Amino acid sequence: MSLQEQFDAAALNVKKLKALPSDNDLLELYGLFKQATVGDADPANKPGMLDFKGKAKFEAWSGRKGTSKEDAQKAYIAKVEALVSSIGLQ
């Protein structure tokens, strides 16, 4: 199975988790997913200071700046596998 296929399977497994991961886990998943699919975050698109949720998500993504698509995919897959092991799938 190619890295892209593994990544796509992991993205599907996130939606099948028995329980919602912690906020920190969700932010980590978001940052890795965006880095793997879009690339580096554009500072011009940073949310306003009163958009706390958007700001947290943007910071999780921009913290991955410079990470290659492949490395972000590998880290995302590893994170999902860890969550599946601890939470389980439906």
Side-chain angles (χ1 to χ4, degrees), residues 5-67:
E5 290 169 334
Q6 291 176 44
F7 178 77
D8 293 341
L12 290 175
N13 281 340
V14 165
K15 297 175 184 175
K16 298 177 187 174
L17 291 171
K18 282 186 181 178
L20 190 64
S22 71
D23 287 345
N24 286 339
D25 286 337
L26 289 171
L27 285 172
E28 184 176 353
L29 286 171
Y30 177 83
L32 288 168
F33 185 86
K34 291 294 277 187
Q35 188 67 27
T37 57
V38 179
D40 290 343
D42 182 359
N45 294 332
K46 187 174 183 178
M49 65 183 211
L50 296 179
D51 181 1
F52 299 112
K53 184 177 178 181
K55 189 174 178 184
K57 289 169 75 175
F58 182 84
E59 288 173 359
W61 178 15
S62 64
R64 305 282 175 187
K65 184 176 183 174
T67 304

